[in-house]
């Protein structure tokens, strides 16, 4: 196997791909690697279009825009909480006000209930702020016109209706403004990401003009040697079967470019994280010595000399 990979080119279609990661954090990590590589080698290999300074400028812009976006998303949470609290307070007030008004308007829906904002068909208190706000306004106006129907001990007053209306309106406005800010910052972040992807794709193209496909200096940039074998694909169709006697059979479909496989396990209550259970040559392994009744998660991945491929989906089984 070693002779095949080190002394012959890989078969067509299995050469290493420097496809950029979809995950933004992984892309930024790759960016750090490429900048470090440029720092070491840009003079030696005469990089002109994608120097360390170019890479770090685009990387810094992306990291800053990502940070601003992440902060905007984080800042939304307390605003959403405030809106939820304001809505809950308003609904509580409206429920109490409705009970107070029954003394004057009756206990069943009727045309009389239109005055404080309800309909003649329903006395329900709405659950959404879009409907709560106008009802609060109507109740405020009703109590302003009919001050004798206020109930100060229960805080059913025009002033309280107005305060709750203002609080809910302000909370909605703050949340809406934050949603706008999040959208703007996401647009900025995405533009920064696209610019950075363009930069790294440009670097890869420039390196391809200066380095042989098997030149080890590709690795200095955190990239793969295009002429080397590629890492395996993710395993698919992972399955686990409890066989009894503390045994579980774990299988997957074969993965392209796999030399062997890894089976990882996490037993509930025993393992803080997944651990390597075995490394079979084929994607089919019976694990023994497990505790009957234990709940265990399993996942598999394929491995070759370039390293492991992505894990397949984890699955959970109760050991028998």
């Amino acid at each position: 196997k070693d002779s095949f990979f080190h002394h012959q080119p890989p078969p067509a279609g299995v050469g290493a791909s420097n496809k950029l990661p979809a995950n933004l954090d992984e892309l930024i990590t790759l960016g750090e690697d490429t900048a470090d590589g440029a720092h070491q080698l840009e003079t030696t290999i005469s990089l002109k279009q994608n120097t360390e300074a170019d890479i770090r400028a685009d990387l810094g812009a992306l990291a800053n825009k990502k940070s601003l976006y992440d902060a905007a998303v984080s800042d939304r949470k307390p605003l959403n909480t405030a809106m939820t609290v304001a809505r809950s307070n308003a609904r509580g007030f409206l429920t109490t006000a409705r009970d107070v008004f029954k003394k004057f308007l009756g206990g069943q829906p009727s045309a009389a209930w239109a005055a404080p904002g309800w309909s003649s068909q329903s006395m329900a208190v709405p659950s959404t702020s879009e409907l709560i706000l106008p009802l609060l306004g109507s109740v405020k106006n009703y109590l302003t016109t009919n001050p004798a129907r206020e109930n100060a001990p229960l805080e059913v007053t025009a002033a309280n209706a107005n305060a709750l209306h203002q609080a809910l309106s302000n909370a909605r406005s703050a949340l809406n403004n934050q949603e706008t800010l999040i959208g703007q910052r996401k647009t900025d972040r995405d533009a920064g990401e696209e610019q950075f992807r363009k930069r790294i794709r440009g670097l890869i193209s420039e390196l391809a003009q200066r380095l042989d496909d098997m030149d080890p200096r590709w690795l200095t940039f955190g990239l793969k040697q295009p002429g080397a074998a590629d890492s395996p694909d993710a395993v698919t169709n992972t399955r686990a079967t409890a066989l009894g006697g503390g045994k579980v059979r774990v299988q997957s479909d074969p993965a392209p470019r796999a030399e062997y496989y890894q089976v990882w396990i996490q037993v509930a209550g025993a393992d803080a994280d997944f651990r390597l259970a075995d490394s079979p040559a084929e994607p089919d392994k019976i694990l023994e010595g497990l505790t009957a009744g234990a709940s265990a998660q399993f996942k598999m991945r394929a491995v070759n000399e370039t390293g492991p491929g992505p894990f397949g989906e984890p699955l959970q089984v109760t050991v028998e």
Side-chain angles (χ1 to χ4, degrees), residues 193-313:
E193 179 181 354
E194 181 52 38
Q195 172 58 33
F196 188 63
R197 288 183 180 277
K198 181 179 178 181
R199 172 66 62 193
I200 301 304
R201 286 193 293 265
L203 172 66
I204 292 170
S205 296
E206 191 172 1
L207 290 175
Q209 298 171 14
R210 288 165 169 76
L211 302 179
D212 181 84
D213 283 354
M214 288 300 293
D215 193 315
R217 288 176 292 184
W218 283 95
L219 306 178
T220 306
F221 290 85
L223 298 167
K224 298 177 181 179
Q225 297 162 290
D230 203 357
S231 55
D233 287 352
V235 299
T236 58
N237 194 27
T238 307
R239 49 211 186 267
T241 307
L243 302 178
K247 300 179 181 179
V248 174
R249 183 181 186 184
V250 185
Q251 302 167 274
S252 75
D253 292 346
R257 299 181 296 283
E259 289 189 302
Y260 64 94
Y261 297 83
Q262 291 180 342
V263 180
W264 292 67
I265 184 173
Q266 182 181 24
V267 179
D271 298 321
D273 202 352
F274 278 94
R275 57 181 172 84
L276 179 62
D278 210 323
S279 301
E282 301 298 328
D284 188 343
K285 180 65 182 180
I286 296 177
L287 300 178
E288 302 183 10
L290 304 177
T291 302
S295 177
Q297 290 193 86
F298 301 89
K299 60 182 181 180
M300 292 183 67
R301 64 182 179 183
V303 185
N304 66 19
E305 69 166 20
T306 70
F311 281 108
E313 288 296 319

Side-chain angles (χ1 to χ4, degrees), residues 152-164:
L154 295 179
E155 299 184 332
V156 179
T157 65
N160 196 27
N162 184 63
L164 291 168

Side-chain angles (χ1 to χ4, degrees), residues 89-102 104-105 112-119 122-126 131-152 154-166 168:
N89 290 340
R91 292 196 77 234
F93 167 83
L94 290 172
T95 300
T96 303
R98 179 188 60 186
D99 292 340
V100 168
F101 296 160
K102 287 179 180 178
F104 310 103
L105 305 176
W113 281 92
W118 276 269
S119 74
S122 173
M123 293 160 53
V125 174
L131 297 177
I132 290 172
L133 277 173
L135 183 55
L136 281 171
S138 296
V139 169
K140 182 200 75 169
N141 293 336
Y142 178 75
L143 291 173
T144 300
T145 305
N146 301 275
R149 296 186 176 182
E150 290 188 328
N151 188 316
L154 295 179
E155 299 184 332
V156 179
T157 65
N160 196 27
N162 184 63
L164 291 168
H165 183 282
Q166 193 63 49
L168 181 55

Side-chain angles (χ1 to χ4, degrees), residues 11 18 44 58 70 74 80 91 101 103 109 120 127 129 149 161 169 177 181 186 191 209 236 250 254 289-290 303 309:
N18 279 310
T44 303
D58 288 343
D70 290 344
S74 178
N80 187 65
R91 292 196 77 234
F101 296 160
K103 175 182 177 182
S120 59
S127 58
S129 57
R149 296 186 176 182
S169 178
N177 289 339
L181 180 62
K186 182 179 185 300
Q209 298 171 14
T236 58
V250 185
L290 304 177
V303 185

